[in-house]
């Protein structure tokens, strides 16, 4: 108790203590508010992406390149990479649905194919990412999707569902409205050949939060995606459904967004040929409900499930069974856009930590100066019998009082700052900011994890900051210290 009172007296007696506390409190509160905003961002992004297209967990094939639901995430590949398949699909799907330890953990399990194609309407082309899904099952799973016109295509039917932003973009190019039932040609290319399929528009839908990542997605029946990507089901006819045309069309031409001028006439023979190819018979196609060719399996977890632990358990089970697949979270499945937020958060936290290190150096130097100024006092305490642990504990408690006071003040200021940000309803009108923060409004969420992180840093500063000043004080000979007082 004496050590406690003695250390508290030394801290309150120094004029520099208040400056130290305020400086550290400012840095810690800035870190607190920033992480509250990023916690809100994570929550918003997870709600946006998990409920729009990723689910909570995605089962993907093991590949030698970074793989998201959009395909190869390598920054520069030079060409489109072939997305591997989930093999053995039936065994994995049944395991996810029926395993006694896992079956109750999932709210939904639904497969997906991914492909890239150029959407062609009257000569106007637009690049799109095609998600081949069982439409009604997918819409029921993704609560962030709302059908605004039409209906989801049924199992075994041809069809495509266009999101609201893509519809507006196409209508702007066409200078006319798109209607349900309109036919869209989907074109893919490979080397000197290309494949064309024609599908009717069955529905228009919107995402709760619009951004450029979601705007480029079109939901298509799985058999069309298999045809375009030349994926043969094991139960399908061995006859290839790919149509090859000996026309000079490059990849750049295929995915170009350059629009034809209004009134340009298209050669009638060529147009007829395209329509014949696009409407080629697909009677041999296997019903998508029974197909075993899929690139991913999307899973939704129930509210009380610990996703991280479930992912770890799934990967252990896959490894034991020898299946070349892995479970990943929604962040990895969403790809580079969400990763940008994580990197931004990391960079920002590094900057705040540098400020904290500056504060730590200030505190440490102040304590060292204080220790040098109290050499005589320390020497007297040592001479009358004070143990080295007494002197060391004195400096430790002084540092703890400073950092704890700063931590407490930072918690109050940080909570107040986060509350102000949350209540201000700051609108993010910029598309890129909206995409980065996962919503059109900036949010800040105060979590127990954020508070624990702040106090962990506070304790770490306390634990490290007292060491050097205590060594300075203890390295002085007691007799010489007492002489210095004369």
């Amino acid at each position: 108790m004496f050590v406690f009172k003695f250390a508290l007296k030394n801290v309150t007696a120094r004029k520099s203590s208040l400056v130290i506390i305020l400086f550290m409190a400012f840095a810690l509160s800035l870190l607190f508010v920033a992480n509250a905003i990023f916690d809100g961002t994570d929550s918003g992004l997870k709600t946006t992406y998990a409920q729009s297209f990723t689910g909570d967990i995605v089962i993907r094939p093991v590949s030698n390149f970074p793989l998201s639901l959009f395909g190869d995430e390598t920054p520069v590949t030079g060409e489109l990479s072939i997305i591997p398949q989930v093999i053995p699909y039936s065994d994995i799907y049944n395991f996810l649905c029926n395993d006694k330890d896992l079956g109750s953990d999932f709210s939904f399990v639904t497969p997906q194919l991914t492909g890239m194609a150029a959407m062609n309407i009257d000569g106007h082309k637009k690049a799109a990412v095609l998600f081949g899904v069982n439409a009604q099952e997918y819409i029921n799973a993704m609560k962030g999707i709302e059908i605004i016109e039409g209906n989801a295509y049924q199992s075994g039917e041809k069809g495509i569902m266009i999101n609201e932003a893509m519809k507006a973009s196409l209508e702007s190019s066409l200078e006319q409205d798109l209607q349900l039932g309109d036919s869209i040609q989907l074109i893919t290319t490979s080397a000197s050949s290309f494949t064309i399929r024609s599908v009717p528009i069955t529905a228009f839908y919107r995402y709760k939060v619009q951004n450029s990542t979601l705007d480029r997605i079109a939901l298509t029946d799985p058999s069309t995606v298999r045809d375009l990507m030349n994926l043969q089901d094991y139960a399908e006819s061995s006859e290839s459904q790919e149509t090859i045309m000996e026309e000079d069309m490059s990849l750049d031409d295929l995915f170009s967004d350059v629009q034809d001028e209004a009134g340009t006439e298209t050669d009638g023979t060529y147009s007829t040929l395209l329509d014949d190819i696009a409407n080629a018979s697909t009677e041999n196609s296997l019903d998508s409900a029974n197909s075993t060719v899929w690139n991913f399996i999307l899973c939704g977890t129930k509210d009380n499930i610990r996703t991280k632990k479930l992912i770890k358990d799934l990967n252990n089970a896959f490894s034991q069974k020898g299946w070349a697949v892995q479970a990943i979270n929604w962040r990895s499945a969403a790809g580079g856009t969400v990763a940008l937020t994580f990197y931004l958060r990391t960079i920002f936290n590094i900057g705040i930590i540098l400020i904290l290190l500056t504060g730590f150096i200030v505190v440490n130097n102040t304590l060292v100066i204080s220790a040098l100024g109290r050499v005589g006092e320390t020497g007297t305490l040592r001479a009358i019998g004070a143990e080295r642990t007494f002197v060391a504990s004195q400096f430790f408690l002084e540092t703890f009082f400073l950092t704890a006071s700063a931590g407490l003040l930072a918690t109050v200021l940080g909570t107040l700052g986060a509350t102000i940000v949350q209540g201000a309803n700051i609108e993010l009108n910029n598309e890129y900011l909206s995409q980065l923060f996962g919503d059109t409004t900036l949010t800040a969420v105060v979590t127990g994890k954020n508070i624990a992180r702040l106090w962990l840093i506070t304790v770490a500063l306390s634990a490290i900051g007292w060491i050097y000043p205590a060594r300075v004080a203890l390295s002085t000979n007691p007799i010489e210290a007492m002489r210095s007082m004369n």
Side-chain angles (χ1 to χ4, degrees):
M1 182 61 68
F2 174 72
V3 179
F4 183 87
K5 291 181 178 180
F6 190 72
L8 181 60
K9 180 181 178 181
N10 284 332
V11 170
T12 56
R14 290 203 304 269
K15 295 180 179 180
S16 60
S17 297
L18 180 59
V19 177
I20 293 173
I21 291 172
L22 291 176
F23 182 86
M24 293 189 63
F26 170 76
L28 288 169
S29 61
L30 184 60
L31 178 67
F32 187 91
V33 172
N35 280 292
I37 292 174
F38 281 116
D39 285 339
T41 298
D42 277 349
S43 177
L45 284 172
K46 182 175 181 180
T47 300
T48 298
Y49 289 102
Q51 294 186 2
S52 297
F53 75 101
T54 66
D56 298 302
I57 297 175
V58 172
I59 311 303
R60 70 179 181 188
V62 175
S63 66
N64 56 6
F65 54 84
L67 181 64
S68 75
L69 288 176
F70 293 100
D72 189 352
E73 287 291 321
T74 305
V76 179
T77 59
E79 58 182 11
L80 297 177
S81 301
I82 298 175
I83 304 175
Q85 301 173 23
V86 171
I87 299 175
Y89 168 76
S90 298
D91 292 342
I92 296 172
Y93 183 86
N94 291 332
F95 170 75
L96 294 172
C97 294
N98 302 321
D99 185 88
K100 61 180 181 180
D101 296 325
L102 300 175
S104 61
D105 293 340
F106 297 117
S107 57
F108 67 83
V109 178
T110 186
Q112 178 187 308
L113 288 161
T114 296
M116 296 288 294
M119 303 172 61
N120 181 44
I121 304 178
D122 294 337
H124 296 265
K125 295 186 286 291
K126 182 176 181 61
V129 179
L130 302 180
F131 283 180
V133 295
N134 298 322
Q136 196 57 61
E137 181 181 301
Y138 187 86
I139 295 297
N140 292 338
M142 301 302 169
K143 305 302 182 183
I145 295 178
E146 176 190 359
I147 294 181
I148 56 178
E149 187 178 357
N151 296 288
Y153 52 81
Q154 299 301 309
S155 178
E157 291 182 351
K158 297 289 184 181
I160 188 169
M161 300 168 62
I162 305 295
N163 69 71
E164 192 175 38
M166 184 178 288
K167 175 178 181 287
S169 176
L170 288 169
E171 288 177 341
S172 176
S173 301
L174 291 167
E175 298 182 352
Q176 65 183 44
D177 293 340
L178 286 178
Q179 304 294 331
L180 295 176
D182 285 352
S183 182
I184 292 182
Q185 291 178 346
L186 302 175
I187 311 171
T188 59
T189 184
S190 175
S192 61
S193 65
F194 60 86
T195 304
I196 303 174
R197 288 293 178 267
S198 182
V199 290
I201 300 175
T202 64
F204 299 111
Y205 68 94
R206 68 163 59 102
Y207 294 103
K208 287 184 178 179
V209 178
Q210 291 187 349
N211 58 52
S212 59
T213 299
L214 301 177
D215 292 348
R216 58 197 179 110
I217 297 173
L219 305 179
T220 317
D221 67 277
S223 61
T224 294
V225 178
R226 293 190 188 98
D227 288 350
L228 290 168
M229 306 311 295
N230 194 28
L231 299 175
Q232 285 291 336
D233 198 295
Y234 303 118
E236 287 186 290
S237 168
S238 59
E239 181 181 355
S240 173
Q241 297 180 37
E242 178 179 341
T243 304
I244 300 177
M245 296 192 63
E246 298 299 332
E247 294 287 339
D248 185 16
M249 178 178 283
S250 67
L251 185 62
D252 291 336
D253 292 335
L254 178 61
F255 291 100
S256 172
D257 286 331
V258 176
Q259 304 301 319
D260 295 339
E261 295 182 3
T264 300
E265 296 183 357
T266 305
D267 181 85
T269 304
Y270 180 69
S271 178
T272 303
L273 181 59
L274 288 181
D275 290 338
D276 290 342
I277 295 170
N279 294 298
S281 174
T282 55
E283 294 178 354
N284 291 327
S285 296
L286 190 71
D287 191 312
S288 62
N290 300 318
S291 177
T292 59
V293 175
W294 300 95
N295 298 128
F296 305 98
I297 302 177
L298 315 183
C299 307
T301 58
K302 297 180 179 178
D303 293 338
N304 60 340
I305 301 301
R306 293 174 55 194
T307 304
K308 288 184 178 179
K309 183 179 184 303
L310 181 55
I311 289 175
K312 182 179 179 181
D313 293 341
L314 284 171
N315 285 325
N316 287 337
F318 296 155
S319 179
Q320 292 174 4
K321 293 178 180 294
W323 294 337
V325 295
Q326 61 182 160
I328 58 174
N329 60 21
W330 68 272
R331 186 188 299 276
S332 299
T337 302
V338 178
L340 178 62
T341 305
F342 176 77
Y343 295 141
L344 179 63
R345 178 174 187 164
T346 302
I347 293 171
F348 191 90
N349 281 339
I350 290 174
I352 299 299
I353 289 172
L354 290 176
I355 295 176
L356 284 174
L357 288 176
T358 304
F360 169 75
I361 294 172
V362 171
V363 173
N364 199 58
N365 288 342
T366 303
L367 292 175
V368 170
I369 293 172
S370 175
L372 293 174
R374 291 156 48 198
V375 167
E377 176 187 314
T378 305
T380 302
L381 290 173
R382 295 280 309 283
I384 63 177
E387 298 290 339
R388 294 173 66 89
T389 53
F390 176 88
V391 177
S393 61
Q394 176 188 336
F395 281 94
F396 172 76
L397 287 173
E398 288 181 21
T399 307
F400 176 77
F401 288 140
L402 289 171
T403 54
S405 299
L408 181 61
L409 182 59
T411 302
V412 174
L413 293 176
T415 303
L416 179 61
T419 303
I420 292 174
V421 171
Q422 181 69 16
N425 292 322
I426 301 173
E427 295 292 333
L428 301 174
N429 297 320
N430 183 282
E431 176 187 346
Y432 298 102
L433 289 177
S434 176
Q435 182 174 348
L436 180 63
F437 289 100
D439 206 339
T440 55
T441 303
L442 190 64
T443 59
V445 178
V446 178
T447 63
K449 183 179 179 181
N450 196 2
I451 295 175
R453 185 189 298 118
L454 184 145
W455 279 98
L456 180 63
I457 294 174
T458 299
V459 172
L461 291 175
S462 298
I464 299 173
W466 70 280
I467 297 175
Y468 187 64
R471 288 185 60 185
V472 171
L474 292 172
S475 64
T476 306
N477 185 284
I479 296 177
E480 294 179 356
M482 292 180 67
R483 286 175 181 171
S484 67
M485 295 181 64
N486 298 330

